[in-house]
């Protein structure tokens, strides 16, 4: 991963893939042109790397020149294209091949066609290393395309983000979500996860996602996913992981600008941990740590019985149900300790003490991530 100005980018296309694509293009163009000596025209600034590497692979005589246009601001294409350096030689009767680094909206290409309308060239062909079909809004033919890419901003190999990144020999793609701190808050029922999550989300500007709350919200509001979840719950069955993951995905997407998330109540199994990893990966992010509040069983039972008196939650009222939940927790979910330990992401924190002390202990872990 690299950072340019305020944004993070991940490796996307290797130098080797670029080299192969240019080789294919050079061979194909040379075959098509036969004995014609083409005039290759690079569009500056972005195309300087493409042109330089491409012409070294071109197996026959050719001429090379540049024009300079600019249409990009930050990470967005603009309609307003400036012609900074125009054509300097007579191209009458020539076969011209435009060499582009990337074709995005096609605005730059429209300008190129405008420039060549009065040049009396024999033929004008377009070759581009990268092409974003989803972004392209014109219908000029693209004669040679190296690599089609999704409509996401890239840098490297001549392409820049506000001036930086042109020198990179490979191509990087912008990360969908920028740098986030994602925590799994873990601990048996009554450990104080909910209480601590409230403090941590304020302190670190994180979004707290409690699967229990998400379920209750979706069911109460009768969302499609809520109704689906309810159909399992009503039958006394576990909600399939995919339904839960889809709900979490919706929560994560609702908060795309978040600095990170606190997951509470999920994952509970290895399969769920893997599903969560995949979900975060699809957002170009990851789980940074599992933080577990460690509290002795007897203290948990007392706390939950106390909570049951005021919360009205049926599962907090009965001691044998409480003990079951605690046992169930250790049987089923403590294996996650191994899962995250194996990735050096498990942090146990003493969950007995004042709320402030425990928040302090949790913060000490988070600050070191
Ligand atoms: P178009 O005019 O929208 O087709 O965009 C063409 C120009 O925008 C290119 O020559 C680049 O300078 C710039 N551009 C388009 N997409 C990207 C990108 O993903 N990264 C960096 N520059 C880009
Ligand atoms: Mg360009």
């Amino acid at each position: 991963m690299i950072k340019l100005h305020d944004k993070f980018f991940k490796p996307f296309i290797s130098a080797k893939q670029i080299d192969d694509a240019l080789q294919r293009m050079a061979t194909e163009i040379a075959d098509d042109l036969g004995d014609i000596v083409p005039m290759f025209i690079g569009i500056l600034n972005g195309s300087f790397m493409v042109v330089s590497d491409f012409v070294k692979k071109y197996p026959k005589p050719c001429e090379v020149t540049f024009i300079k246009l600019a249409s990009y601001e930050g990470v967005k294409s603009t309609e307003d294209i400036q012609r900074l350096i125009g054509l300097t030689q007579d191209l009458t009767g020539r076969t011209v091949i435009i060499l582009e680094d990337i074709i995005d909206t096609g605005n730059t290409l429209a300008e190129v066609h405008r420039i060549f309308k009065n040049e009396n060239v024999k033929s004008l062909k377009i070759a581009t290393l990268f092409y974003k079909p989803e972004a392209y809004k014109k219908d000029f033919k693209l004669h040679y395309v190296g690599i089609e890419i999704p409509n996401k901003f890239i840098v490297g190999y001549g392409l820049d983000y506000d001036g930086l990144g042109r020198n990179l020999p490979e191509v990087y793609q912008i990360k969908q979500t920028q740098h986030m701190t994602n925590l799994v808050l873990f601990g048996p029922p009554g450990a104080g996860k909910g209480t601590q999550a409230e403090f941590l989300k304020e302190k670190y500007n994180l979004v707290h996602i409690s699967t229990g709350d998400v379920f209750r919200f979706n069911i109460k509001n009768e969302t499609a996913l809520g109704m689906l979840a309810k159909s399992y719950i009503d039958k006394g069955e576990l909600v399939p992981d995919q339904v839960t993951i889809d709900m979490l995905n919706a929560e994560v997407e609702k908060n795309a600008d978040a600095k990170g998330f606190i997951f509470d109540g999920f994952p509970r199994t290895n399969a769920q941990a893997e599903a969560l990893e995949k979900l975060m990966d699809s957002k170009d992010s990851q789980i940074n740590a599992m933080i577990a509040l460690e509290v002795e069983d007897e203290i948990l039972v007392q706390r939950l019985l106390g909570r049951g008196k005021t919360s009205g939650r049926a599962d907090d009222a009965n001691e044998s149900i409480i003990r079951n939940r605690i046992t169930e927790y250790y049987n089923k979910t403590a294996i996650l300790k191994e899962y995250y330990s194996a990735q050096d992401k498990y942090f146990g924190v003493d969950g007995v003490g004042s709320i402030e002390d425990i928040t302090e202990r949790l913060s000490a872990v988070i600050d070191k991530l």
Side-chain angles (χ1 to χ4, degrees):
M1 197 170 66
I2 57 166
K3 187 177 187 207
L4 300 174
H5 298 297
D6 57 329
K7 300 229 185 301
F8 290 90
F9 297 84
K10 59 179 177 176
F12 181 47
I13 297 172
S14 69
K16 169 81 168 67
Q17 285 170 293
I18 294 170
D19 201 66
D20 290 349
L22 289 177
Q23 185 62 61
R24 256 184 281 119
M25 291 169 78
T27 307
E28 200 186 333
I29 294 174
D31 285 352
D32 286 355
L33 292 188
D35 294 333
I36 296 167
V37 175
M39 172 64 84
F40 289 116
I41 301 186
I43 314 295
L44 288 173
N45 286 331
S47 73
F48 70 98
M49 284 233 194
V50 170
V51 173
S52 154
D53 286 344
F54 174 90
V55 295
K56 281 180 267 179
K57 297 182 190 307
Y58 196 73
K60 293 189 246 178
C62 63
E63 286 181 62
V64 188
T65 188
F66 290 92
I67 55 180
K68 182 162 176 165
L69 304 175
S71 79
Y72 239 66
E73 240 170 60
V75 297
K76 252 179 121 255
S77 190
T78 64
E79 303 252 334
D80 175 30
I81 297 178
Q82 297 176 35
R83 208 179 295 187
L84 304 172
I85 301 174
L87 284 170
T88 48
Q89 59 258 79
D90 180 16
L91 294 171
T92 307
R94 298 297 303 271
T95 292
V96 169
I97 314 251
I98 300 295
L99 287 180
E100 264 286 31
D101 44 348
I102 189 164
I103 292 179
D104 183 321
T105 61
N107 290 339
T108 307
L109 192 54
E111 185 64 16
V112 166
H113 277 87
R114 240 186 324 272
I115 291 171
F116 280 89
K117 222 168 51 205
N118 304 317
E119 288 297 322
N120 298 316
V121 298
K122 184 168 149 224
S123 80
L124 176 68
K125 296 218 154 85
I126 311 299
T128 183
L129 174 58
F130 298 117
Y131 169 48
K132 296 179 183 167
E134 296 151 21
Y136 193 53
K137 291 192 298 228
K138 309 283 180 196
D139 42 28
F140 302 112
K141 184 174 164 65
L142 308 182
H143 302 82
Y144 304 98
V145 172
I147 303 175
E148 288 193 5
I149 59 169
N151 190 12
K152 291 195 186 139
F153 192 75
I154 60 172
V155 290
Y157 202 73
L159 295 161
D160 71 309
Y161 167 47
D162 273 351
L164 294 181
R166 293 195 196 276
N167 57 318
L168 299 165
E170 60 279 301
V171 165
Y172 294 76
Q173 188 181 55
I174 196 159
K175 268 170 58 83
Q176 262 182 293
T177 42
Q178 295 297 308
H179 199 61
M180 301 202 299
T181 302
N182 300 304
L183 310 172
V184 172
L185 197 56
F186 203 53
K193 296 195 299 283
T195 309
Q196 291 301 329
E198 284 304 308
F199 286 104
L200 295 180
K201 79 175 197 202
E202 288 300 318
K203 181 160 181 191
Y204 294 98
N205 208 351
L206 305 175
V207 173
H208 178 206
I209 301 185
S210 148
T211 20
D213 291 347
V214 173
F215 273 127
R216 284 185 280 273
F217 176 86
N218 276 278
I219 291 171
K220 184 167 154 239
N221 290 285
E222 304 191 337
T223 68
L225 281 166
M227 296 315 281
L228 187 58
K230 189 169 184 295
S231 72
Y232 291 95
I233 294 169
D234 286 350
K235 279 181 281 178
E237 290 169 17
L238 287 175
V239 178
D241 288 351
Q242 195 52 51
V243 176
T244 312
I245 279 287
D246 288 347
M247 282 192 195
L248 291 183
N249 185 34
E251 290 301 304
V252 170
E253 288 199 339
K254 252 191 251 168
N255 297 288
D257 297 334
K259 286 237 181 343
F261 296 92
I262 302 173
F263 294 98
D264 168 0
F266 192 94
R268 292 183 189 257
T269 63
N270 274 350
Q272 291 180 348
E274 278 162 19
L276 182 61
E277 203 164 295
K278 253 198 229 143
L279 170 65
M280 295 321 285
D281 195 51
S282 77
K283 310 286 180 220
D284 292 330
S285 193
Q286 68 286 309
I287 297 295
N288 303 85
M290 164 184 260
I291 306 184
L293 287 169
E294 295 168 344
V295 181
E296 251 174 76
D297 288 7
E298 291 315 310
I299 299 178
L300 294 174
V301 173
Q302 293 317 313
R303 281 190 191 170
L304 288 173
L305 283 172
R307 182 170 84 180
K309 284 184 198 135
T310 53
S311 73
R313 268 177 61 171
D315 56 350
D316 282 349
N318 176 308
E319 178 165 345
S320 76
I321 293 181
I322 290 173
R323 288 199 187 273
N324 254 334
R325 281 165 62 204
I326 296 173
T327 311
E328 168 103 344
Y329 166 82
Y330 284 113
N331 284 346
K332 288 222 177 120
T333 65
I335 43 161
L336 286 175
K337 182 173 175 176
E338 284 168 41
Y339 183 93
Y340 286 103
S341 296
Q343 304 181 10
D344 276 331
K345 289 181 178 173
Y346 179 87
F347 302 89
V349 169
D350 181 3
V352 182
S354 73
I355 290 176
E356 299 77 38
D357 284 349
I358 299 168
T359 308
E360 279 296 304
R361 289 174 209 153
L362 291 168
S363 302
V365 171
I366 298 170
D367 291 340
K368 269 189 259 158
L369 289 176

